[in-house]
Amino acid sequence: MTNKIVQPKTSIILFGATGDLAKRKLYPSIYSLFLSGKLSDNFVVIGAARRPWSDAELRENVKKAIEETHLSNERIDEFCQHFFYLPFDVTNTESYLKLKHKLEELEAKFEIPGNRIYYMAMAPQFFGTIAIQLKKEGVTQSEGWNRLVIEKPFGHDLPSAQKLNNEIREAFSEDQIYRIDHYLGKEMVQNIEVIRFANAIFEPLWNNRHISNIQITSSEVLGVEDRGGYYETSGALRDMVQNHLLQMVLLLSMDPPIRLATNEVRSEKIKVLRAIRPISTDEASDYFIRGQYAAGEISGSEVPGYRQEKNVKEDSTTETFVAGKLLIDNHRWAGVPFYVRTGKRMAVKSTKIVVQFKDLPLNVYTQKSEDMTIHPNLLVIHIQPDEGITLILNGKKVGLLGETIPVDLEFKNNSIDGVNTPEAYERLIYDCMLGDATNFAHWDEVNLSWALIDPISKAWAESNEEIEQYVSGTMGPKSSEQLLSNDGFKWWALKDL
Ligand code: NAD
């Protein structure tokens, strides 16, 4: 089946155009869409930010950002002709009126029928103000569609998320709001649905009769770098678990949707979120543990501990590592723990899902000799840096003893020549242009996920216990191992998978 490429005619208004996200992710992604023919000539990008730049300065910066990527720069000048800059003060009415006029002028010139994406790539405290002002000053009253893209974090707890949502809902309806969770734009995260719903062999096994536990790990080798100030207000639970890791749990655990349509997928995700067992503040330590990196060694170089990082308090209790257990109380998953863990300064940079199948009811090999063990069957979904799947089965070890040995059936994108998977942002921006919100978070998902996470944050905020330290370059604190061994499981070593 070949699909004709749709080229939406769109204006993108990028709030925070001089910032880090715009430079590292958004400009290269929009350029990549341009190179692959997904943008017609009928598009403009208006960069809005505080600095008094000119169009030429913005274009120079866009060019520089793209030159730092692997993308060919053969059409870069042509691309940059679609970029315009507007010095912008988010609290000033005048800025919005100027934006309105600029949009009308450019839409006439580039023949764009008033379709507008407002992309919030600046500090979250401005999201609500901008949305309200856009409506108040009539910017959103165009002939075409108007969509709002919101970056993370969407609040820092349930009350702040509700407040932000109420503000943006004053100006945009839920179906105009695209809450970014860039994990949902990743090739292999989207592939979870394909693995589950396009293969006859997995779905019959995808339940508590055949799966013993599921482990999701997103580990980084880097520390907080120069984002200590931001990280101190966030921590791994809010930064990674509330959004990205929970979204992966939902994709792995939801029932098959009746159609791959936005509302159908969302409604299955919300159903499973509602079935996740709530964790009260009192019992938080039975389900979630935290840690903070201490000094250590990474690739032969010494690295400082979290408390020694720039803009981090000397006695900070911010967690740089989290491991947790989620239980889903429904027919499909009752009794199957979903373990999640994420952290900075860990031994490997990796995002992987390990689905561990139950042991056989009778192991005839162990019966034959106690030395013979059978490896559990594992399905490993590699999200990054490798992309692919590995199915670990047992085979016969060559020789006369009749021993078994784990064998891998492996498929990796990176090992296929010419495959260059698109950036998550590229896919999500294009989805937004097409009006496809499937891979964005609905308010109900955000709402329920904060409700789940808040009691854990509260337990940690109120705790007098010293935060457990782990040596940089390891896979986290001891209590993370304990969390699984209490249930008779262990984290599978990522480097071996
Ligand atoms: P940044 O600090 O690098 O950029 C902020 C931008 O906002 C700049 O363009 C600045 O000029 C503009 N700005 C700030 N105050 C303004 C004001 N009063 N009026 C007009 N413009 C103003 O931030 P960033 O790292 O690009 O992050 C932007 C957003 O994206 C944040 O919500 C962040 O949480 C989110 N995010 C960033 C990353 C990343 O990799 N950088 C990843 C995920 C999410």
Coordinates of all heavy atoms in Angstrom, one line a residue, residues 384-448:
Q384 N 15.9 2.7 22.5 CA 17.1 3.5 22.1 C 18.3 3.1 22.9 O 18.1 2.6 24.0 CB 16.8 5.0 22.2 CG 16.6 5.5 23.7 CD 16.2 7.0 23.7 OE1 15.8 7.6 22.8 NE2 16.4 7.5 24.9
P385 N 19.5 3.3 22.5 CA 19.9 3.8 21.1 C 19.6 2.8 20.0 O 19.4 3.2 18.9 CB 21.4 4.1 21.3 CG 21.9 3.2 22.3 CD 20.7 3.0 23.3
D386 N 19.7 1.5 20.3 CA 19.3 0.6 19.3 C 17.8 0.5 19.1 O 17.1 0.8 20.1 CB 19.7 -0.9 19.6 CG 21.2 -1.0 19.8 OD1 21.9 -0.2 19.1 OD2 21.7 -1.8 20.6
E387 N 17.3 0.2 18.0 CA 15.9 0.0 17.8 C 15.6 -1.4 17.3 O 16.2 -1.8 16.3 CB 15.3 1.0 16.8 CG 15.5 2.5 17.2 CD 14.9 3.5 16.2 OE1 14.7 3.1 15.1 OE2 14.8 4.6 16.6
G388 N 14.8 -2.1 17.9 CA 14.5 -3.5 17.4 C 13.9 -4.3 18.4 O 13.5 -3.9 19.5
I389 N 13.8 -5.6 18.1 CA 13.2 -6.6 19.1 C 14.1 -7.8 19.1 O 14.7 -8.2 18.1 CB 11.8 -7.0 18.8 CG1 11.6 -7.4 17.3 CG2 10.8 -5.9 19.1 CD1 10.2 -7.9 17.0
T390 N 14.2 -8.4 20.3 CA 14.9 -9.7 20.4 C 13.9 -10.6 21.2 O 13.3 -10.2 22.1 CB 16.1 -9.5 21.3 OG1 16.9 -8.5 20.8 CG2 17.0 -10.8 21.4
L391 N 13.8 -11.8 20.6 CA 13.1 -12.9 21.3 C 14.0 -13.9 21.8 O 14.8 -14.5 21.0 CB 12.0 -13.5 20.3 CG 11.0 -14.4 20.9 CD1 10.2 -13.8 22.0 CD2 10.1 -15.0 19.8
I392 N 14.1 -14.1 23.1 CA 15.0 -15.0 23.7 C 14.3 -16.4 24.0 O 13.4 -16.4 24.8 CB 15.7 -14.5 24.9 CG1 16.4 -13.1 24.5 CG2 16.7 -15.5 25.5 CD1 17.1 -12.5 25.6
L393 N 14.8 -17.4 23.2 CA 14.2 -18.7 23.4 C 15.3 -19.7 23.9 O 16.4 -19.3 24.1 CB 13.8 -19.2 22.0 CG 12.8 -18.3 21.2 CD1 12.7 -18.8 19.8 CD2 11.5 -18.2 21.9
N394 N 14.9 -20.9 24.1 CA 16.0 -21.9 24.5 C 16.2 -22.8 23.3 O 15.3 -23.3 22.6 CB 15.5 -22.7 25.7 CG 15.5 -21.9 26.9 OD1 16.6 -21.5 27.4 ND2 14.3 -21.5 27.5
G395 N 17.5 -23.1 23.0 CA 17.8 -24.0 22.0 C 18.7 -25.1 22.6 O 19.1 -25.0 23.8
K396 N 19.1 -26.0 21.8 CA 20.0 -27.1 22.3 C 21.4 -26.7 22.1 O 21.8 -26.2 21.0 CB 19.7 -28.4 21.5 CG 20.5 -29.5 22.0 CD 20.4 -30.8 21.2 CE 21.4 -31.8 21.6 NZ 22.8 -31.4 21.5
K397 N 22.2 -26.8 23.1 CA 23.6 -26.5 23.1 C 24.3 -27.7 22.3 O 24.0 -28.8 22.5 CB 24.2 -26.5 24.5 CG 25.6 -25.9 24.5 CD 25.9 -25.6 26.0 CE 27.3 -25.1 26.1 NZ 27.6 -24.9 27.5
V398 N 25.1 -27.3 21.3 CA 25.7 -28.3 20.5 C 26.6 -29.2 21.4 O 27.3 -28.7 22.3 CB 26.6 -27.7 19.4 CG1 27.4 -28.7 18.6 CG2 25.8 -26.8 18.5
G399 N 26.5 -30.5 21.3 CA 27.3 -31.4 22.1 C 26.5 -32.6 22.5 O 25.3 -32.8 22.1
L400 N 27.1 -33.5 23.3 CA 26.5 -34.7 23.6 C 25.6 -34.7 24.9 O 24.9 -35.6 25.1 CB 27.6 -35.8 23.7 CG 28.4 -36.0 22.5 CD1 29.5 -37.0 22.8 CD2 27.6 -36.5 21.3
L401 N 25.7 -33.6 25.6 CA 25.1 -33.6 26.9 C 23.6 -33.2 26.9 O 22.9 -33.4 27.9 CB 25.8 -32.6 27.9 CG 27.3 -33.0 28.2 CD1 27.9 -32.0 29.0 CD2 27.3 -34.4 28.9
G402 N 23.1 -32.8 25.8 CA 21.7 -32.4 25.7 C 21.4 -31.2 26.5 O 20.2 -31.0 27.0
E403 N 22.4 -30.3 26.7 CA 22.1 -29.1 27.5 C 21.3 -28.0 26.6 O 21.4 -28.1 25.4 CB 23.4 -28.4 28.0 CG 24.1 -29.3 29.0 CD 25.5 -28.7 29.2 OE1 26.3 -28.9 28.2 OE2 25.8 -28.2 30.2
T404 N 20.6 -27.1 27.3 CA 20.0 -26.0 26.6 C 20.8 -24.8 26.7 O 21.5 -24.6 27.6 CB 18.5 -25.8 27.2 OG1 18.7 -25.3 28.5 CG2 17.7 -27.0 27.2
I405 N 20.5 -23.9 25.8 CA 21.2 -22.6 25.8 C 20.3 -21.5 25.3 O 19.5 -21.8 24.3 CB 22.5 -22.7 24.9 CG1 23.3 -21.4 25.0 CG2 22.2 -23.0 23.5 CD1 24.7 -21.5 24.3
P406 N 20.3 -20.3 25.9 CA 19.4 -19.3 25.3 C 19.9 -18.8 23.9 O 21.0 -18.6 23.7 CB 19.6 -18.1 26.3 CG 20.4 -18.6 27.4 CD 21.1 -19.9 27.0
V407 N 18.9 -18.7 23.0 CA 19.2 -18.2 21.7 C 18.4 -17.0 21.4 O 17.2 -16.9 21.8 CB 19.0 -19.3 20.6 CG1 20.0 -20.4 20.7 CG2 17.6 -19.9 20.7
D408 N 19.0 -16.1 20.7 CA 18.3 -14.8 20.4 C 17.8 -14.8 19.0 O 18.6 -15.0 18.0 CB 19.3 -13.6 20.5 CG 19.8 -13.5 21.9 OD1 19.4 -14.2 22.8 OD2 20.7 -12.6 22.1
L409 N 16.6 -14.4 18.8 CA 16.0 -14.1 17.5 C 16.0 -12.6 17.5 O 15.3 -12.0 18.3 CB 14.7 -14.6 17.2 CG 14.5 -16.2 17.3 CD1 13.0 -16.5 16.9 CD2 15.4 -16.8 16.3
E410 N 16.8 -12.0 16.6 CA 17.0 -10.5 16.7 C 16.6 -9.8 15.5 O 17.0 -10.2 14.4 CB 18.4 -10.3 17.1 CG 18.7 -8.9 17.6 CD 20.0 -8.7 18.2 OE1 21.0 -8.5 17.4 OE2 20.1 -8.9 19.4
F411 N 16.0 -8.6 15.6 CA 15.8 -7.7 14.5 C 16.1 -6.3 15.0 O 15.5 -5.8 16.0 CB 14.3 -7.8 14.1 CG 13.8 -6.6 13.3 CD1 14.2 -6.5 12.0 CD2 13.1 -5.6 13.9 CE1 13.8 -5.4 11.2 CE2 12.7 -4.5 13.2 CZ 13.1 -4.4 11.8
K412 N 17.1 -5.7 14.3 CA 17.5 -4.4 14.8 C 17.5 -3.4 13.6 O 18.1 -3.7 12.5 CB 18.9 -4.4 15.4 CG 18.9 -5.0 16.8 CD 19.7 -4.2 17.8 CE 19.5 -4.8 19.2 NZ 20.8 -5.3 19.8
N413 N 16.8 -2.3 13.7 CA 16.7 -1.4 12.6 C 18.1 -0.9 12.2 O 18.4 -0.7 11.0 CB 16.0 -0.1 13.0 CG 14.5 -0.3 12.7 OD1 14.1 -1.2 12.1 ND2 13.7 0.7 13.2
N414 N 19.0 -0.6 13.2 CA 20.3 0.0 12.9 C 21.2 -0.9 12.1 O 22.1 -0.5 11.5 CB 21.0 0.3 14.2 CG 20.2 1.4 14.9 OD1 19.1 1.8 14.6 ND2 20.9 2.0 16.0
S415 N 20.8 -2.2 12.1 CA 21.7 -3.1 11.4 C 21.2 -3.2 9.9 O 21.8 -3.9 9.1 CB 21.7 -4.5 12.0 OG 20.4 -5.0 12.2
I416 N 20.2 -2.5 9.6 CA 19.7 -2.6 8.2 C 20.2 -1.3 7.5 O 20.0 -0.2 7.9 CB 18.2 -2.6 8.1 CG1 17.7 -3.8 8.8 CG2 17.7 -2.6 6.7 CD1 16.1 -3.8 9.0
D417 N 20.9 -1.5 6.4 CA 21.5 -0.4 5.6 C 20.4 0.6 5.2 O 19.3 0.1 4.8 CB 22.2 -0.9 4.3 CG 23.6 -1.3 4.7 OD1 24.0 -1.0 5.8 OD2 24.3 -1.8 3.8
G418 N 20.7 1.8 5.2 CA 19.8 2.8 4.6 C 18.6 3.2 5.5 O 17.8 4.0 5.1
V419 N 18.4 2.6 6.6 CA 17.3 2.9 7.5 C 17.7 4.1 8.4 O 18.7 4.0 9.1 CB 16.8 1.7 8.4 CG1 15.8 2.2 9.4 CG2 16.3 0.7 7.5
N420 N 17.0 5.2 8.2 CA 17.3 6.3 9.0 C 15.9 6.7 9.7 O 15.1 7.4 9.1 CB 17.8 7.4 8.1 CG 18.1 8.7 8.9 OD1 18.1 8.7 10.1 ND2 18.2 9.8 8.1
T421 N 15.7 6.3 10.9 CA 14.4 6.5 11.5 C 14.2 8.0 11.8 O 15.1 8.6 12.3 CB 14.2 5.7 12.7 OG1 15.1 6.1 13.7 CG2 14.3 4.2 12.4
P422 N 13.0 8.5 11.5 CA 12.9 10.0 11.8 C 12.9 10.3 13.2 O 12.6 9.5 14.1 CB 11.5 10.2 11.2 CG 10.8 8.9 11.0 CD 11.9 7.9 11.0
E423 N 13.3 11.5 13.5 CA 13.2 12.0 14.9 C 11.8 12.0 15.4 O 10.9 12.3 14.7 CB 13.7 13.5 14.9 CG 15.2 13.7 15.0 CD 15.6 13.7 16.4 OE1 14.8 13.5 17.3 OE2 16.8 13.8 16.6
A424 N 11.7 11.8 16.7 CA 10.3 11.8 17.3 C 9.6 13.1 17.0 O 8.4 13.1 16.7 CB 10.4 11.5 18.8
Y425 N 10.4 14.2 17.1 CA 9.7 15.5 17.0 C 9.2 15.7 15.5 O 8.2 16.3 15.3 CB 10.7 16.6 17.3 CG 10.7 16.9 18.8 CD1 11.7 16.4 19.6 CD2 9.7 17.7 19.4 CE1 11.7 16.6 21.0 CE2 9.7 17.9 20.8 CZ 10.7 17.4 21.6 OH 10.6 17.6 22.9
E426 N 9.9 15.2 14.6 CA 9.5 15.3 13.2 C 8.2 14.6 13.0 O 7.3 15.2 12.4 CB 10.6 14.6 12.4 CG 10.4 14.6 10.9 CD 11.4 13.8 10.2 OE1 12.5 13.6 10.7 OE2 11.2 13.5 9.0
R427 N 8.0 13.5 13.5 CA 6.8 12.7 13.4 C 5.6 13.4 14.1 O 4.5 13.6 13.6 CB 7.0 11.3 14.0 CG 5.9 10.4 13.8 CD 6.1 9.1 14.6 NE 7.5 8.6 14.5 CZ 7.8 7.7 13.6 NH1 6.9 7.2 12.8 NH2 9.1 7.3 13.6
L428 N 5.9 13.9 15.3 CA 4.9 14.6 16.1 C 4.4 15.9 15.5 O 3.2 16.2 15.5 CB 5.3 14.8 17.5 CG 5.6 13.4 18.3 CD1 6.1 13.7 19.7 CD2 4.3 12.6 18.4
I429 N 5.4 16.7 14.9 CA 5.0 17.9 14.3 C 4.1 17.6 13.1 O 3.1 18.3 12.9 CB 6.2 18.8 13.9 CG1 7.0 19.2 15.2 CG2 5.8 20.0 13.1 CD1 8.3 19.8 14.9
Y430 N 4.5 16.6 12.3 CA 3.7 16.3 11.1 C 2.3 15.8 11.5 O 1.3 16.2 11.0 CB 4.5 15.2 10.3 CG 3.8 14.9 9.0 CD1 3.6 16.0 8.0 CD2 3.5 13.7 8.6 CE1 3.1 15.7 6.8 CE2 2.9 13.4 7.3 CZ 2.7 14.4 6.5 OH 2.2 14.2 5.2
D431 N 2.2 14.9 12.6 CA 0.9 14.4 13.1 C 0.1 15.6 13.5 O -1.1 15.6 13.2 CB 1.1 13.6 14.4 CG 1.5 12.2 14.0 OD1 1.6 11.8 12.9 OD2 1.8 11.4 15.0
C432 N 0.6 16.6 14.1 CA -0.1 17.8 14.5 C -0.7 18.5 13.3 O -1.8 19.0 13.2 CB 0.7 18.7 15.4 SG -0.2 20.2 15.9
M433 N 0.2 18.6 12.3 CA -0.3 19.3 11.0 C -1.4 18.6 10.4 O -2.3 19.1 9.8 CB 0.9 19.3 10.0 CG 2.0 20.3 10.4 SD 3.2 20.2 9.1 CE 4.4 21.4 9.7
L434 N -1.4 17.2 10.5 CA -2.5 16.4 9.9 C -3.7 16.3 10.8 O -4.7 15.8 10.5 CB -2.0 15.0 9.7 CG -0.8 14.8 8.7 CD1 -0.4 13.4 8.7 CD2 -1.2 15.3 7.3
G435 N -3.6 16.8 12.1 CA -4.7 16.8 13.0 C -4.8 15.4 13.7 O -5.9 15.0 14.1
D436 N -3.7 14.6 13.7 CA -3.8 13.3 14.3 C -3.2 13.4 15.7 O -2.0 13.5 15.9 CB -3.0 12.3 13.5 CG -3.0 10.9 14.0 OD1 -3.5 10.7 15.2 OD2 -2.6 10.0 13.4
A437 N -4.0 13.3 16.7 CA -3.6 13.5 18.1 C -3.3 12.2 18.8 O -3.1 12.1 20.1 CB -4.6 14.3 18.9
T438 N -3.3 11.1 18.1 CA -3.1 9.7 18.8 C -1.9 9.7 19.6 O -1.9 9.1 20.7 CB -3.1 8.6 17.7 OG1 -4.1 8.8 16.7 CG2 -3.2 7.3 18.3
N439 N -0.8 10.2 19.1 CA 0.5 10.1 19.9 C 0.8 11.3 20.8 O 1.9 11.7 21.0 CB 1.6 9.8 18.9 CG 1.4 8.5 18.2 OD1 1.1 7.5 18.9 ND2 1.4 8.4 16.9
F440 N -0.3 11.9 21.2 CA -0.2 13.0 22.2 C -1.0 12.7 23.4 O -1.9 11.8 23.3 CB -0.7 14.4 21.6 CG 0.2 14.8 20.4 CD1 0.0 14.3 19.2 CD2 1.1 15.8 20.6 CE1 0.7 14.7 18.1 CE2 1.9 16.2 19.5 CZ 1.7 15.7 18.3
A441 N -0.7 13.3 24.5 CA -1.4 12.9 25.8 C -2.7 13.7 25.9 O -2.7 14.9 25.9 CB -0.5 13.1 27.0
H442 N -3.8 13.0 26.1 CA -5.1 13.6 26.4 C -5.1 14.1 27.9 O -4.4 13.5 28.7 CB -6.1 12.5 26.2 CG -7.5 13.1 26.3 ND1 -8.2 13.2 27.6 CD2 -8.4 13.5 25.4 CE1 -9.4 13.7 27.4 NE2 -9.6 13.9 26.1
W443 N -5.9 15.1 28.2 CA -5.9 15.6 29.5 C -6.3 14.5 30.5 O -5.7 14.4 31.6 CB -7.0 16.8 29.6 CG -7.3 17.1 31.1 CD1 -8.5 17.0 31.7 CD2 -6.4 17.5 32.1 NE1 -8.4 17.3 33.0 CE2 -7.1 17.6 33.3 CE3 -5.0 17.8 32.1 CZ2 -6.5 18.0 34.5 CZ3 -4.4 18.1 33.3 CH2 -5.2 18.3 34.5
D444 N -7.2 13.6 30.2 CA -7.5 12.5 31.2 C -6.3 11.7 31.5 O -6.2 11.2 32.7 CB -8.6 11.6 30.6 CG -9.9 12.3 30.5 OD1 -10.1 13.4 31.0 OD2 -10.8 11.8 29.8
E445 N -5.4 11.5 30.6 CA -4.2 10.7 30.9 C -3.3 11.5 31.8 O -2.7 11.0 32.7 CB -3.4 10.4 29.6 CG -4.1 9.5 28.6 CD -3.5 9.5 27.2 OE1 -2.3 9.3 27.1 OE2 -4.2 9.7 26.2
V446 N -3.1 12.8 31.5 CA -2.3 13.6 32.3 C -2.8 13.7 33.8 O -2.1 13.5 34.8 CB -2.1 15.0 31.7 CG1 -1.3 16.0 32.6 CG2 -1.6 15.0 30.3
N447 N -4.1 13.9 33.8 CA -4.8 14.0 35.1 C -4.6 12.8 35.9 O -4.2 12.8 37.1 CB -6.3 14.3 34.7 CG -7.2 14.6 36.0 OD1 -6.7 14.6 37.1 ND2 -8.5 14.8 35.7
L448 N -4.9 11.6 35.4 CA -4.8 10.4 36.1 C -3.4 10.0 36.5 O -3.1 9.5 37.5 CB -5.4 9.2 35.3 CG -7.0 9.3 35.2 CD1 -7.5 8.3 34.1 CD2 -7.6 8.8 36.5

